[in-house]
Amino acid sequence: MKITNIRVTHVNVPFDAPFWWTGGLYPGASKSIIEVETDEGVVGLGEAPWYHFGEIIKAEIAPALIGADPLDIADCERRCVPPWQITANTGEGASAVAFGAVEVALWDIRGKVFNLPLYKLLGGAVRKEIKFSEYFSFRPEHNGAGGEMSPEAICAYCERMREEHGSTIFEGKLILGDPDLEIRTVRMLREALGDKAQIKLDSNMQYSLTTARWLLRELEPLNIRNYEDPVATFEEMAALRQHSIIPFSTHVPDLQRAVALGAPDNFVCNFAALGGISKTLKFIAACEAMGKGFWCYSNDLGIMTAAYLHVSAASPLISEASQSLFRWQVGDVIQNGPFRQTNDVVAVPEGPGLGVELDPDAMRRWAAAFEENGPMSHFYDPDNPKHHRTLPLN
């Protein structure tokens, strides 16, 4: 079997309403959908975490992989990714992330060739239902969605998710530059959701060490399951660890530094950002050996989410709920997407490979959204008419 073509399609899939994070109002993301075609008619699906990695795939990765054996992932990686000594000296790691998106598609091909779901290729499932958190944040109202701009509204939203979907695991960003508001909101959430609900928080590195010390002191009695990036650096998290028992997580996959400093406790990562599924499995194994936790990133579409489901099924270490923005996504590129949890879990797909297929109509719609509007910004500006087109009209 040989790779004959790699198709890259940029898509914009917005949220029903933007939410506040450290960079401002976040409206959704621009992804690249990857289709790796072979001379035997088997097509593998991958997903890049941001559209500019898709451009690298078009320019560099695809030409290098034409004619390669898609089942020989090590050879494919050698063709595309420079040795680590080069990337370490140049600081240029984009090719590794771009290949990571393609590598997901190579695993999808492998599963389809052997007619097995990915989790069986990874050794079998230790669980078939994968936990995901609900998400909450301050969100302005947009066409009837959002509107959670007060502690009371956020509590009402989370209570509704519990009533409608059986949700008991909640994660959120309470980022409006006011730690008092965060404390007040979390106190109200704990009272509304009860003692058994999990509450996780994420500040996107917004707080100074001084503010974080005070903030976590106030939050600690409220039984916070995890706080992601409460401060900007591992060194500050290590200093903060001396004042708080709340576990910390990060998206920065520097395991050696985390072990040396004693913090953070957990890693939350996109598989492409780690270099693909093979590299992710090695990273998870290293985390387990060094006493660090691992779970999966949010703000991905159905292809990458399917990869999360299969790897989580086959990895005993991933016992914590992964992040999820599913409820806010207005669509997806896969059939029957987006995934959405019930009673905190999503079932692992049982089809061959990733177990998902593209929805041609959805692909056309979201590709047209990218073509017409260009890539979505990391923030939404309500005063910029161009940004209005990044959000759904109904």
Side-chain angles (χ1 to χ4, degrees):
M1 180 181 289
K2 302 296 181 185
I3 295 172
T4 56
N5 186 45
I6 297 180
R7 182 182 299 114
V8 178
T9 307
H10 300 319
V11 296
N12 285 348
V13 182
F15 300 127
D16 55 1
F19 68 90
W20 282 101
W21 76 304
T22 302
L25 279 169
Y26 192 81
S30 298
K31 304 286 187 179
S32 292
I33 305 306
I34 316 303
E35 298 171 78
V36 178
E37 301 173 348
T38 69
D39 60 354
E40 296 186 16
V42 181
V43 179
L45 302 179
E47 178 184 320
W50 198 251
Y51 82 96
H52 63 263
F53 293 111
E55 290 297 308
I56 295 172
I57 293 169
K58 286 190 213 177
E60 301 175 18
I61 306 296
L65 289 182
I66 300 304
D69 178 356
L71 302 182
D72 191 343
I73 293 177
D75 176 65
C76 289
E77 183 174 7
R78 281 194 297 271
R79 290 170 178 244
C80 302
V81 182
W84 70 268
Q85 295 95 334
I86 293 176
T87 56
N89 277 280
T90 62
E92 179 49 68
S95 62
V97 178
F99 175 76
V102 174
E103 195 253 22
V104 171
L106 301 182
W107 277 99
D108 191 31
I109 289 173
R110 181 176 289 192
K112 290 172 178 174
V113 168
F114 293 104
N115 196 31
L116 291 172
L118 176 57
Y119 71 81
K120 288 192 176 181
L121 295 181
L122 301 180
V126 296
R127 60 183 70 85
K128 287 289 191 75
E129 294 186 328
I130 310 305
K131 290 188 288 188
F132 286 88
S133 63
E134 292 287 350
Y135 222 82
F136 60 85
S137 183
F138 292 114
R139 300 196 301 160
E141 189 275 337
H142 179 81
N143 288 334
E148 301 94 34
M149 287 300 295
S150 68
E152 292 80 5
I154 284 180
C155 287
Y157 173 82
C158 291
E159 288 180 292
R160 182 161 61 87
M161 294 302 102
R162 180 179 61 185
E163 292 166 6
E164 294 180 1
H165 307 292
S167 303
T168 65
I169 305 172
F170 300 87
E171 181 167 357
K173 307 178 193 292
L174 298 172
I175 299 175
L176 287 179
D178 184 352
D180 283 308
L181 178 62
E182 178 163 348
I183 293 167
R184 189 162 73 253
T185 304
V186 176
R187 283 175 177 160
M188 292 179 65
L189 276 171
R190 178 53 72 198
E191 182 176 353
L193 299 174
D195 294 335
K196 293 185 178 180
Q198 291 186 19
I199 298 177
K200 301 179 179 181
L201 300 169
D202 179 5
S203 85
N204 288 136
M205 306 179 180
Q206 77 165 321
Y207 291 121
S208 69
L209 180 57
T210 299
T211 299
R213 285 194 186 105
W214 168 75
L215 173 71
L216 268 62
R217 182 195 68 190
E218 299 299 308
L219 293 177
E220 196 166 292
L222 300 173
N223 188 21
I224 303 306
R225 185 78 170 192
N226 182 76
Y227 204 122
E228 190 162 279
D229 288 325
V231 286
T233 68
F234 284 21
E235 286 77 11
E236 288 181 325
M237 274 190 257
L240 192 58
R241 167 59 61 244
Q242 301 174 38
H243 302 273
S244 178
I245 64 170
I246 298 173
F248 306 143
S249 63
T250 185
H251 299 314
V252 181
D254 192 338
L255 178 59
Q256 287 182 315
R257 198 151 133 255
V259 171
L261 292 169
D265 309 281
N266 306 295
F267 293 93
V268 184
C269 299
N270 173 286
F271 291 176
L274 290 173
I277 290 174
S278 301
K279 290 284 178 63
T280 296
L281 294 171
K282 293 177 182 178
F283 188 81
I284 291 171
C287 285
E288 187 170 18
M290 301 311 297
K292 300 295 183 181
F294 183 97
W295 56 88
C296 303
Y297 195 65
S298 59
N299 194 27
D300 296 286
L301 300 179
I303 297 169
M304 186 60 72
T305 300
Y308 294 163
L309 288 165
H310 285 280
V311 171
S312 296
S315 300
L317 182 66
I318 307 180
S319 58
E320 287 289 310
S322 290
Q323 296 179 338
S324 154
L325 299 175
F326 303 149
R327 210 72 69 186
W328 298 345
Q329 290 176 314
V330 301
D332 208 325
V333 297
I334 63 167
Q335 296 177 17
N336 303 313
F339 289 104
R340 289 199 167 113
Q341 65 271 50
T342 300
N343 298 324
D344 300 321
V345 299
V346 175
V348 181
E350 291 290 348
L354 294 174
V356 298
E357 298 294 335
L358 291 178
D359 181 328
D361 292 337
M363 281 287 289
R364 282 191 289 269
R365 177 184 181 184
W366 303 124
F370 185 97
E371 184 73 22
E372 293 167 8
N373 302 312
M376 299 176 74
S377 172
H378 282 86
F379 70 96
Y380 172 75
D381 180 1
D383 296 324
N384 186 337
K386 179 182 178 182
H387 285 197
H388 297 176
R389 298 196 298 273
T390 68
L391 289 173
L393 299 177
N394 52 52

